[in-house]
Amino acid sequence: MNQDVAVAWEIGAELGEGPIWSDTLRALVFVDIRRARLHVYHPEDGERRSWDLEEACCWLLPREGGGFVAGLRSGLSDSNSTSEGLASASA
């Protein structure tokens, strides 16, 4: 079995963590804990987006029915189902 592996995004994360696939966004979502950044990668069209967060986010979990629960330095946060909403709600 021959499988080619390629880097999809040279993000330069300091501490990239918690990659999850979002069926709603059709994207890979992950955080950089130390830089307090949220990253979303859409493999279908190659779109890559990042947002600064107001505090460190350690992990994200998809909620049933859309959205995410985020583990922040200050506690848990509930978010919207869009990537923009996720960044603002998680910050």
Short mmCIF file of all heavy atoms in Angstrom, two decimals, residues 10-71:
data_model
loop_
_atom_site.label_atom_id
_atom_site.label_comp_id
_atom_site.label_asym_id
_atom_site.label_seq_id
_atom_site.Cartn_x
_atom_site.Cartn_y
_atom_site.Cartn_z
N GLU A 10 1.56 24.94 6.14
CA GLU A 10 2.73 25.27 6.96
C GLU A 10 2.33 26.39 7.91
O GLU A 10 2.65 27.55 7.70
CB GLU A 10 3.90 25.71 6.07
CG GLU A 10 4.54 24.61 5.30
CD GLU A 10 5.50 23.77 6.14
OE1 GLU A 10 5.80 24.14 7.29
OE2 GLU A 10 5.93 22.74 5.62
N ILE A 11 1.63 26.05 8.96
CA ILE A 11 1.04 27.04 9.87
C ILE A 11 2.05 27.60 10.86
O ILE A 11 1.91 28.72 11.32
CB ILE A 11 -0.19 26.44 10.60
CG1 ILE A 11 -1.01 27.52 11.29
CG2 ILE A 11 0.22 25.40 11.61
CD1 ILE A 11 -1.88 28.25 10.38
N GLY A 12 3.06 26.83 11.20
CA GLY A 12 4.05 27.29 12.17
C GLY A 12 3.49 27.42 13.57
O GLY A 12 3.90 28.29 14.33
N ALA A 13 2.55 26.55 13.92
CA ALA A 13 1.95 26.60 15.26
C ALA A 13 3.00 26.33 16.32
O ALA A 13 3.89 25.50 16.14
CB ALA A 13 0.83 25.57 15.37
N GLU A 14 2.90 27.03 17.43
CA GLU A 14 3.80 26.81 18.54
C GLU A 14 3.40 25.57 19.32
O GLU A 14 4.24 24.79 19.74
CB GLU A 14 3.81 28.03 19.46
CG GLU A 14 4.89 27.99 20.50
CD GLU A 14 4.99 29.29 21.27
OE1 GLU A 14 4.73 30.36 20.70
OE2 GLU A 14 5.34 29.22 22.45
N LEU A 15 2.09 25.39 19.52
CA LEU A 15 1.57 24.19 20.19
C LEU A 15 0.20 23.86 19.58
O LEU A 15 -0.84 24.14 20.16
CB LEU A 15 1.47 24.39 21.70
CG LEU A 15 0.99 23.20 22.52
CD1 LEU A 15 1.87 21.97 22.30
CD2 LEU A 15 0.94 23.55 24.00
N GLY A 16 0.21 23.31 18.37
CA GLY A 16 -1.02 22.92 17.69
C GLY A 16 -1.65 21.74 18.41
O GLY A 16 -0.96 20.81 18.81
N GLU A 17 -2.97 21.79 18.59
CA GLU A 17 -3.64 20.76 19.39
C GLU A 17 -5.09 20.61 18.97
O GLU A 17 -5.69 21.50 18.40
CB GLU A 17 -3.57 21.16 20.86
CG GLU A 17 -4.00 20.09 21.84
CD GLU A 17 -3.13 18.85 21.77
OE1 GLU A 17 -1.94 18.93 22.09
OE2 GLU A 17 -3.66 17.80 21.38
N GLY A 18 -5.64 19.45 19.29
CA GLY A 18 -7.07 19.18 19.18
C GLY A 18 -7.64 19.19 17.79
O GLY A 18 -8.74 19.73 17.59
N PRO A 19 -6.98 18.62 16.79
CA PRO A 19 -7.59 18.62 15.45
C PRO A 19 -8.86 17.78 15.42
O PRO A 19 -8.88 16.66 15.92
CB PRO A 19 -6.50 18.01 14.57
CG PRO A 19 -5.72 17.14 15.49
CD PRO A 19 -5.74 17.84 16.83
N ILE A 20 -9.92 18.38 14.90
CA ILE A 20 -11.19 17.65 14.74
C ILE A 20 -11.74 17.96 13.35
O ILE A 20 -11.47 19.02 12.78
CB ILE A 20 -12.24 18.03 15.81
CG1 ILE A 20 -12.57 19.52 15.74
CG2 ILE A 20 -11.78 17.63 17.19
CD1 ILE A 20 -13.83 19.88 16.48
N TRP A 21 -12.50 17.03 12.83
CA TRP A 21 -13.20 17.25 11.56
C TRP A 21 -14.60 17.75 11.89
O TRP A 21 -15.33 17.13 12.67
CB TRP A 21 -13.28 15.98 10.75
CG TRP A 21 -14.06 16.19 9.49
CD1 TRP A 21 -15.34 15.80 9.24
CD2 TRP A 21 -13.62 16.89 8.33
NE1 TRP A 21 -15.73 16.21 7.99
CE2 TRP A 21 -14.69 16.88 7.41
CE3 TRP A 21 -12.43 17.53 7.98
CZ2 TRP A 21 -14.60 17.49 6.16
CZ3 TRP A 21 -12.35 18.12 6.73
CH2 TRP A 21 -13.42 18.11 5.84
N SER A 22 -15.00 18.86 11.30
CA SER A 22 -16.34 19.40 11.45
C SER A 22 -17.15 19.07 10.20
O SER A 22 -16.86 19.60 9.12
CB SER A 22 -16.30 20.92 11.65
OG SER A 22 -17.60 21.45 11.54
N ASP A 23 -18.15 18.20 10.35
CA ASP A 23 -19.04 17.91 9.22
C ASP A 23 -19.83 19.15 8.81
O ASP A 23 -20.07 19.37 7.64
CB ASP A 23 -20.01 16.78 9.59
CG ASP A 23 -19.35 15.42 9.60
OD1 ASP A 23 -18.35 15.23 8.87
OD2 ASP A 23 -19.83 14.55 10.33
N THR A 24 -20.20 19.97 9.79
CA THR A 24 -20.97 21.18 9.51
C THR A 24 -20.17 22.15 8.65
O THR A 24 -20.67 22.68 7.66
CB THR A 24 -21.38 21.87 10.82
OG1 THR A 24 -22.11 20.95 11.62
CG2 THR A 24 -22.23 23.10 10.56
N LEU A 25 -18.91 22.38 9.04
CA LEU A 25 -18.06 23.31 8.29
C LEU A 25 -17.36 22.64 7.11
O LEU A 25 -16.82 23.32 6.25
CB LEU A 25 -16.99 23.89 9.22
CG LEU A 25 -17.47 24.72 10.39
CD1 LEU A 25 -16.29 25.12 11.28
CD2 LEU A 25 -18.22 25.95 9.91
N ARG A 26 -17.38 21.29 7.10
CA ARG A 26 -16.63 20.51 6.11
C ARG A 26 -15.18 20.93 6.12
O ARG A 26 -14.57 21.25 5.09
CB ARG A 26 -17.25 20.62 4.73
CG ARG A 26 -18.71 20.23 4.72
CD ARG A 26 -19.28 19.53 3.53
NE ARG A 26 -18.41 18.82 2.64
CZ ARG A 26 -18.06 17.52 2.78
NH1 ARG A 26 -18.49 16.83 3.80
NH2 ARG A 26 -17.29 16.93 1.89
N ALA A 27 -14.62 20.95 7.35
CA ALA A 27 -13.26 21.47 7.52
C ALA A 27 -12.58 20.83 8.73
O ALA A 27 -13.24 20.31 9.63
CB ALA A 27 -13.32 22.98 7.73
N LEU A 28 -11.26 20.91 8.71
CA LEU A 28 -10.44 20.53 9.85
C LEU A 28 -10.28 21.76 10.72
O LEU A 28 -9.90 22.83 10.24
CB LEU A 28 -9.06 20.04 9.38
CG LEU A 28 -8.10 19.61 10.48
CD1 LEU A 28 -8.59 18.32 11.13
CD2 LEU A 28 -6.71 19.44 9.91
N VAL A 29 -10.59 21.62 12.01
CA VAL A 29 -10.53 22.72 12.95
C VAL A 29 -9.52 22.35 14.03
O VAL A 29 -9.55 21.24 14.55
CB VAL A 29 -11.92 22.98 13.58
CG1 VAL A 29 -11.87 24.13 14.57
CG2 VAL A 29 -12.97 23.22 12.51
N PHE A 30 -8.61 23.28 14.36
CA PHE A 30 -7.64 23.02 15.42
C PHE A 30 -7.18 24.34 16.02
O PHE A 30 -7.45 25.41 15.48
CB PHE A 30 -6.46 22.20 14.92
CG PHE A 30 -5.66 22.85 13.83
CD1 PHE A 30 -4.45 23.45 14.10
CD2 PHE A 30 -6.10 22.82 12.51
CE1 PHE A 30 -3.70 24.04 13.09
CE2 PHE A 30 -5.36 23.40 11.49
CZ PHE A 30 -4.15 24.01 11.79
N VAL A 31 -6.50 24.26 17.16
CA VAL A 31 -6.06 25.46 17.87
C VAL A 31 -4.55 25.44 18.05
O VAL A 31 -3.91 24.40 18.00
CB VAL A 31 -6.75 25.58 19.25
CG1 VAL A 31 -8.25 25.73 19.10
CG2 VAL A 31 -6.41 24.40 20.15
N ASP A 32 -3.99 26.63 18.25
CA ASP A 32 -2.62 26.79 18.71
C ASP A 32 -2.75 27.35 20.12
O ASP A 32 -3.12 28.51 20.31
CB ASP A 32 -1.85 27.75 17.80
CG ASP A 32 -0.38 27.87 18.18
OD1 ASP A 32 -0.02 27.54 19.34
OD2 ASP A 32 0.41 28.32 17.33
N ILE A 33 -2.51 26.50 21.09
CA ILE A 33 -2.75 26.86 22.49
C ILE A 33 -1.90 28.06 22.90
O ILE A 33 -2.43 29.05 23.43
CB ILE A 33 -2.46 25.67 23.42
CG1 ILE A 33 -3.42 24.52 23.13
CG2 ILE A 33 -2.55 26.09 24.89
CD1 ILE A 33 -3.09 23.22 23.84
N ARG A 34 -0.61 28.01 22.68
CA ARG A 34 0.28 29.06 23.17
C ARG A 34 0.09 30.40 22.47
O ARG A 34 0.31 31.45 23.07
CB ARG A 34 1.73 28.62 23.07
CG ARG A 34 2.03 27.50 24.04
CD ARG A 34 3.50 27.33 24.24
NE ARG A 34 3.72 26.31 25.26
CZ ARG A 34 4.69 25.42 25.21
NH1 ARG A 34 5.53 25.43 24.21
NH2 ARG A 34 4.81 24.55 26.17
N ARG A 35 -0.31 30.39 21.22
CA ARG A 35 -0.53 31.64 20.49
C ARG A 35 -1.99 32.09 20.53
O ARG A 35 -2.33 33.12 19.94
CB ARG A 35 -0.07 31.50 19.05
CG ARG A 35 1.44 31.38 18.97
CD ARG A 35 1.92 31.42 17.56
NE ARG A 35 3.38 31.41 17.54
CZ ARG A 35 4.09 30.88 16.58
NH1 ARG A 35 3.51 30.35 15.53
NH2 ARG A 35 5.41 30.92 16.65
N ALA A 36 -2.84 31.31 21.21
CA ALA A 36 -4.28 31.63 21.32
C ALA A 36 -4.87 31.93 19.94
O ALA A 36 -5.39 33.01 19.69
CB ALA A 36 -4.52 32.79 22.29
N ARG A 37 -4.76 30.93 19.05
CA ARG A 37 -5.28 31.08 17.68
C ARG A 37 -6.14 29.88 17.32
O ARG A 37 -5.89 28.76 17.75
CB ARG A 37 -4.14 31.21 16.69
CG ARG A 37 -3.33 32.43 16.97
CD ARG A 37 -2.56 33.10 15.88
NE ARG A 37 -2.87 32.90 14.51
CZ ARG A 37 -3.49 33.78 13.73
NH1 ARG A 37 -3.93 34.91 14.21
NH2 ARG A 37 -3.67 33.55 12.45
N LEU A 38 -7.15 30.15 16.52
CA LEU A 38 -8.04 29.13 15.98
C LEU A 38 -7.76 29.03 14.49
O LEU A 38 -7.64 30.05 13.81
CB LEU A 38 -9.49 29.53 16.21
CG LEU A 38 -10.56 28.71 15.50
CD1 LEU A 38 -10.64 27.32 16.12
CD2 LEU A 38 -11.89 29.40 15.56
N HIS A 39 -7.66 27.80 13.98
CA HIS A 39 -7.37 27.58 12.57
C HIS A 39 -8.43 26.66 11.96
O HIS A 39 -8.85 25.68 12.59
CB HIS A 39 -6.00 26.93 12.40
CG HIS A 39 -4.89 27.69 13.04
ND1 HIS A 39 -4.42 28.87 12.53
CD2 HIS A 39 -4.18 27.45 14.16
CE1 HIS A 39 -3.45 29.32 13.30
NE2 HIS A 39 -3.29 28.47 14.30
N VAL A 40 -8.85 26.98 10.75
CA VAL A 40 -9.82 26.17 10.01
C VAL A 40 -9.29 25.95 8.60
O VAL A 40 -8.94 26.91 7.91
CB VAL A 40 -11.20 26.87 9.96
CG1 VAL A 40 -12.20 26.03 9.17
CG2 VAL A 40 -11.73 27.13 11.36
N TYR A 41 -9.23 24.67 8.21
CA TYR A 41 -8.73 24.31 6.89
C TYR A 41 -9.81 23.54 6.13
O TYR A 41 -10.32 22.53 6.62
CB TYR A 41 -7.47 23.44 7.02
CG TYR A 41 -7.01 22.86 5.71
CD1 TYR A 41 -6.58 23.67 4.68
CD2 TYR A 41 -7.03 21.49 5.51
CE1 TYR A 41 -6.15 23.14 3.48
CE2 TYR A 41 -6.60 20.94 4.30
CZ TYR A 41 -6.18 21.77 3.30
OH TYR A 41 -5.77 21.25 2.11
N HIS A 42 -10.17 24.04 4.93
CA HIS A 42 -11.16 23.40 4.06
C HIS A 42 -10.41 22.67 2.93
O HIS A 42 -9.96 23.32 1.98
CB HIS A 42 -12.09 24.45 3.45
CG HIS A 42 -12.94 25.16 4.46
ND1 HIS A 42 -14.17 24.72 4.82
CD2 HIS A 42 -12.69 26.27 5.19
CE1 HIS A 42 -14.68 25.53 5.72
NE2 HIS A 42 -13.80 26.48 5.97
N PRO A 43 -10.27 21.36 3.02
CA PRO A 43 -9.49 20.63 2.00
C PRO A 43 -10.12 20.64 0.61
O PRO A 43 -9.39 20.50 -0.38
CB PRO A 43 -9.40 19.21 2.56
CG PRO A 43 -10.50 19.09 3.52
CD PRO A 43 -10.77 20.46 4.06
N GLU A 44 -11.42 20.81 0.51
CA GLU A 44 -12.07 20.79 -0.82
C GLU A 44 -11.58 21.90 -1.72
O GLU A 44 -11.38 21.70 -2.91
CB GLU A 44 -13.59 20.85 -0.67
CG GLU A 44 -14.19 19.57 -0.12
CD GLU A 44 -15.69 19.65 0.06
OE1 GLU A 44 -16.30 20.70 -0.23
OE2 GLU A 44 -16.25 18.65 0.50
N ASP A 45 -11.40 23.11 -1.15
CA ASP A 45 -10.95 24.23 -1.98
C ASP A 45 -9.62 24.82 -1.51
O ASP A 45 -9.11 25.78 -2.08
CB ASP A 45 -12.01 25.33 -2.03
CG ASP A 45 -12.35 25.92 -0.67
OD1 ASP A 45 -11.65 25.61 0.32
OD2 ASP A 45 -13.32 26.69 -0.59
N GLY A 46 -9.04 24.24 -0.44
CA GLY A 46 -7.75 24.71 0.06
C GLY A 46 -7.81 25.97 0.91
O GLY A 46 -6.78 26.49 1.31
N GLU A 47 -9.02 26.48 1.19
CA GLU A 47 -9.15 27.70 1.99
C GLU A 47 -8.60 27.47 3.40
O GLU A 47 -8.86 26.45 4.02
CB GLU A 47 -10.61 28.15 2.09
CG GLU A 47 -10.77 29.41 2.91
CD GLU A 47 -12.22 29.82 3.13
OE1 GLU A 47 -13.13 29.04 2.82
OE2 GLU A 47 -12.42 30.94 3.62
N ARG A 48 -7.84 28.45 3.87
CA ARG A 48 -7.25 28.41 5.21
C ARG A 48 -7.56 29.72 5.90
O ARG A 48 -7.31 30.79 5.33
CB ARG A 48 -5.73 28.23 5.11
CG ARG A 48 -5.34 26.99 4.39
CD ARG A 48 -3.84 27.01 4.12
NE ARG A 48 -3.48 25.84 3.34
CZ ARG A 48 -2.95 25.90 2.14
NH1 ARG A 48 -2.69 27.05 1.58
NH2 ARG A 48 -2.66 24.79 1.50
N ARG A 49 -8.09 29.64 7.12
CA ARG A 49 -8.42 30.86 7.87
C ARG A 49 -7.97 30.69 9.31
O ARG A 49 -8.02 29.60 9.86
CB ARG A 49 -9.92 31.12 7.83
CG ARG A 49 -10.38 31.28 6.39
CD ARG A 49 -11.56 32.10 6.13
NE ARG A 49 -11.66 33.32 6.88
CZ ARG A 49 -12.83 33.93 7.08
NH1 ARG A 49 -13.94 33.42 6.63
NH2 ARG A 49 -12.88 35.05 7.76
N SER A 50 -7.55 31.79 9.90
CA SER A 50 -7.10 31.79 11.28
C SER A 50 -7.67 33.01 12.00
O SER A 50 -7.88 34.06 11.37
CB SER A 50 -5.58 31.85 11.35
OG SER A 50 -5.01 30.72 10.74
N TRP A 51 -7.90 32.86 13.29
CA TRP A 51 -8.41 33.95 14.12
C TRP A 51 -7.62 34.00 15.41
O TRP A 51 -7.27 32.96 15.99
CB TRP A 51 -9.88 33.73 14.48
CG TRP A 51 -10.80 33.81 13.32
CD1 TRP A 51 -11.48 34.92 12.88
CD2 TRP A 51 -11.20 32.74 12.45
NE1 TRP A 51 -12.25 34.59 11.78
CE2 TRP A 51 -12.09 33.26 11.50
CE3 TRP A 51 -10.87 31.39 12.39
CZ2 TRP A 51 -12.67 32.48 10.51
CZ3 TRP A 51 -11.43 30.61 11.39
CH2 TRP A 51 -12.33 31.17 10.47
N ASP A 52 -7.37 35.21 15.90
CA ASP A 52 -6.80 35.40 17.22
C ASP A 52 -7.92 35.25 18.24
O ASP A 52 -9.03 35.76 18.04
CB ASP A 52 -6.18 36.79 17.36
CG ASP A 52 -4.94 36.96 16.51
OD1 ASP A 52 -4.18 35.97 16.39
OD2 ASP A 52 -4.73 38.06 15.97
N LEU A 53 -7.62 34.57 19.34
CA LEU A 53 -8.56 34.43 20.44
C LEU A 53 -8.08 35.29 21.60
O LEU A 53 -6.89 35.61 21.70
CB LEU A 53 -8.65 32.96 20.87
CG LEU A 53 -9.04 31.97 19.76
CD1 LEU A 53 -8.91 30.54 20.26
CD2 LEU A 53 -10.45 32.25 19.28
N GLU A 54 -8.97 35.67 22.47
CA GLU A 54 -8.60 36.52 23.59
C GLU A 54 -7.89 35.75 24.70
O GLU A 54 -7.27 36.36 25.57
CB GLU A 54 -9.83 37.23 24.14
CG GLU A 54 -10.36 38.27 23.17
CD GLU A 54 -11.58 39.00 23.70
OE1 GLU A 54 -11.84 38.93 24.91
OE2 GLU A 54 -12.26 39.64 22.89
N GLU A 55 -8.01 34.43 24.68
CA GLU A 55 -7.31 33.60 25.66
C GLU A 55 -7.03 32.24 25.05
O GLU A 55 -7.56 31.89 24.01
CB GLU A 55 -8.15 33.47 26.94
CG GLU A 55 -9.43 32.71 26.76
CD GLU A 55 -10.21 32.59 28.05
OE1 GLU A 55 -9.75 31.92 28.99
OE2 GLU A 55 -11.29 33.20 28.10
N ALA A 56 -6.16 31.50 25.72
CA ALA A 56 -5.78 30.18 25.22
C ALA A 56 -6.98 29.25 25.16
O ALA A 56 -7.80 29.21 26.06
CB ALA A 56 -4.69 29.59 26.12
N CYS A 57 -7.05 28.50 24.08
CA CYS A 57 -8.07 27.46 23.89
C CYS A 57 -7.31 26.15 23.73
O CYS A 57 -6.44 26.03 22.88
CB CYS A 57 -8.89 27.76 22.64
SG CYS A 57 -10.14 26.50 22.28
N CYS A 58 -7.65 25.17 24.57
CA CYS A 58 -6.93 23.90 24.56
C CYS A 58 -7.57 22.85 23.67
O CYS A 58 -6.89 21.97 23.17
CB CYS A 58 -6.82 23.35 25.98
SG CYS A 58 -5.86 24.44 27.04
N TRP A 59 -8.89 22.91 23.50
CA TRP A 59 -9.58 21.89 22.72
C TRP A 59 -10.95 22.39 22.29
O TRP A 59 -11.50 23.33 22.86
CB TRP A 59 -9.72 20.58 23.50
CG TRP A 59 -10.31 20.75 24.87
CD1 TRP A 59 -9.62 20.88 26.04
CD2 TRP A 59 -11.69 20.82 25.21
NE1 TRP A 59 -10.49 21.02 27.09
CE2 TRP A 59 -11.78 20.98 26.60
CE3 TRP A 59 -12.88 20.76 24.48
CZ2 TRP A 59 -12.98 21.10 27.28
CZ3 TRP A 59 -14.09 20.88 25.16
CH2 TRP A 59 -14.13 21.03 26.55
N LEU A 60 -11.50 21.72 21.28
CA LEU A 60 -12.86 21.96 20.78
C LEU A 60 -13.53 20.62 20.62
O LEU A 60 -12.91 19.65 20.19
CB LEU A 60 -12.82 22.63 19.41
CG LEU A 60 -12.15 23.98 19.30
CD1 LEU A 60 -11.94 24.33 17.84
CD2 LEU A 60 -12.99 25.03 19.98
N LEU A 61 -14.81 20.57 20.91
CA LEU A 61 -15.61 19.38 20.65
C LEU A 61 -16.89 19.80 19.95
O LEU A 61 -17.53 20.77 20.36
CB LEU A 61 -15.98 18.67 21.96
CG LEU A 61 -14.84 18.03 22.73
CD1 LEU A 61 -15.34 17.50 24.07
CD2 LEU A 61 -14.22 16.91 21.92
N PRO A 62 -17.27 19.10 18.88
CA PRO A 62 -18.52 19.45 18.18
C PRO A 62 -19.72 19.14 19.06
O PRO A 62 -19.75 18.14 19.76
CB PRO A 62 -18.49 18.59 16.93
CG PRO A 62 -17.55 17.48 17.23
CD PRO A 62 -16.59 17.96 18.26
N ARG A 63 -20.71 20.03 19.01
CA ARG A 63 -21.97 19.81 19.71
C ARG A 63 -22.94 19.12 18.78
O ARG A 63 -22.94 19.38 17.57
CB ARG A 63 -22.61 21.13 20.12
CG ARG A 63 -22.01 21.79 21.29
CD ARG A 63 -22.82 22.98 21.70
NE ARG A 63 -23.49 23.57 20.53
CZ ARG A 63 -24.09 24.73 20.54
NH1 ARG A 63 -24.11 25.45 21.60
NH2 ARG A 63 -24.68 25.20 19.46
N GLU A 64 -23.79 18.29 19.32
CA GLU A 64 -24.85 17.69 18.53
C GLU A 64 -25.78 18.81 18.08
O GLU A 64 -26.18 19.66 18.87
CB GLU A 64 -25.63 16.69 19.40
CG GLU A 64 -26.48 15.75 18.61
CD GLU A 64 -27.07 14.65 19.46
OE1 GLU A 64 -26.28 13.92 20.11
OE2 GLU A 64 -28.30 14.54 19.49
N GLY A 65 -26.06 18.88 16.81
CA GLY A 65 -26.91 19.94 16.29
C GLY A 65 -26.14 21.17 15.84
O GLY A 65 -26.73 22.18 15.48
N GLY A 66 -24.81 21.13 15.88
CA GLY A 66 -24.00 22.25 15.41
C GLY A 66 -23.34 23.02 16.53
O GLY A 66 -23.77 22.99 17.67
N GLY A 67 -22.29 23.70 16.18
CA GLY A 67 -21.53 24.48 17.14
C GLY A 67 -20.48 23.64 17.85
O GLY A 67 -20.29 22.47 17.54
N PHE A 68 -19.82 24.27 18.79
CA PHE A 68 -18.73 23.63 19.51
C PHE A 68 -18.77 23.99 20.98
O PHE A 68 -19.30 25.02 21.37
CB PHE A 68 -17.38 24.11 18.96
CG PHE A 68 -17.12 23.68 17.55
CD1 PHE A 68 -17.55 24.45 16.49
CD2 PHE A 68 -16.44 22.51 17.28
CE1 PHE A 68 -17.32 24.07 15.18
CE2 PHE A 68 -16.20 22.11 15.98
CZ PHE A 68 -16.64 22.89 14.93
N VAL A 69 -18.15 23.15 21.78
CA VAL A 69 -17.81 23.48 23.15
C VAL A 69 -16.30 23.61 23.15
O VAL A 69 -15.59 22.77 22.58
CB VAL A 69 -18.26 22.37 24.14
CG1 VAL A 69 -17.75 22.66 25.53
CG2 VAL A 69 -19.76 22.23 24.11
N ALA A 70 -15.78 24.68 23.75
CA ALA A 70 -14.34 24.94 23.77
C ALA A 70 -13.82 24.96 25.19
O ALA A 70 -14.47 25.50 26.08
CB ALA A 70 -14.06 26.28 23.09
N GLY A 71 -12.65 24.36 25.37
CA GLY A 71 -11.98 24.40 26.66
C GLY A 71 -11.00 25.55 26.68
O GLY A 71 -9.96 25.49 26.03
#
